[in-house]
Amino acid sequence: MRTLLKISALAFISIAALASSRVSAQTPSTPDERARLVTLAHKLESNPLDASLRPEREWALKWLIQVPDITVGMCPSILGDYHKYKYSTEITTQLMLSGAQFVIENPDKAKDRMAQYVAAAEGALKAYSSILQQDPKAKSKALDDTLQKQSQGKLRDYVEDTANKSCRNGG
């Protein structure tokens, strides 16, 4: 798990470096920007490997770093140890975007980290399932195990237990 957290930290440092070149006075998100992110999160759940969505994905990550009113908790370990997975970047990005989507669509639950983590995991698992439709050999044992927990109705309990054990302050 520590390796996964190190890799995730490196990914977010890289994202922050990209965003810092454009950080200006932080202004709250607009309704159009929030709608844009929600639409993108849904598109990437269905087609996370769509190269034409890369500029939108980059915009969304930079935007999430810059806006002060949308806060997304990240806990990649809620999906198990998938850091060596071929598409780990797409899955981690989907975790962040699905978490943000939850916050935008449920402002009254924006501070409920566990609900956010469960929504993020569900979005990432949808993206993983979409990847498997395109590339059936692109399997991840960790993600398959998490999908199985979801199909058994145990995803929320698993996410809560993992977040409480692996993520700072349970989130």
Side-chain angles (χ1 to χ4, degrees):
M1 287 298 166
R2 284 189 177 159
T3 303
L4 176 61
L5 293 175
K6 285 180 186 176
I7 289 172
S8 295
L10 289 173
F12 290 111
I13 289 169
S14 299
I15 292 166
L18 285 172
S20 68
S21 64
R22 293 193 153 171
V23 173
S24 57
Q26 292 186 343
T27 57
S29 62
T30 65
D32 287 344
E33 290 169 332
R34 291 189 299 271
R36 181 177 174 188
L37 185 128
V38 168
T39 299
L40 176 63
H42 285 298
K43 285 180 183 178
L44 288 171
E45 283 176 354
S46 300
N47 198 354
L49 303 180
D50 184 346
S52 71
L53 293 175
R54 282 193 183 122
E56 279 293 287
R57 183 183 296 140
E58 183 177 319
W59 166 82
L61 293 173
K62 288 178 184 179
W63 179 78
L64 281 171
I65 291 167
Q66 293 175 352
V67 295
D69 58 328
I70 306 292
T71 303
V72 180
M74 279 300 292
C75 183
S77 60
I78 61 174
L79 294 177
D81 187 4
Y82 68 92
H83 73 280
K84 292 183 181 178
Y85 178 55
K86 180 178 181 178
Y87 299 111
S88 62
T89 301
E90 288 80 1
I91 298 300
T92 302
T93 299
Q94 192 63 46
L95 268 174
M96 182 179 277
L97 297 182
S98 293
Q101 174 189 339
F102 176 82
V103 169
I104 291 166
E105 292 179 335
N106 302 279
D108 58 318
K109 296 180 184 176
K111 295 192 186 291
D112 183 344
R113 286 281 194 225
M114 288 304 164
Q116 191 182 127
Y117 289 160
V118 171
E122 289 172 342
L125 291 173
K126 286 178 187 175
Y128 175 61
S129 294
S130 295
I131 289 169
L132 291 178
Q133 287 178 354
Q134 293 178 30
D135 184 0
K137 293 182 181 180
K139 290 202 160 270
S140 161
K141 180 170 177 8
L143 295 172
D144 285 340
D145 290 348
T146 309
L147 263 179
Q148 183 177 14
K149 287 173 181 56
Q150 183 183 40
S151 70
Q152 295 169 341
K154 298 177 182 179
L155 182 65
R156 181 172 188 82
D157 291 339
Y158 173 73
V159 166
E160 286 182 10
D161 184 52
T162 303
N164 284 328
K165 289 178 182 174
S166 303
C167 297
R168 188 175 60 132
N169 299 327

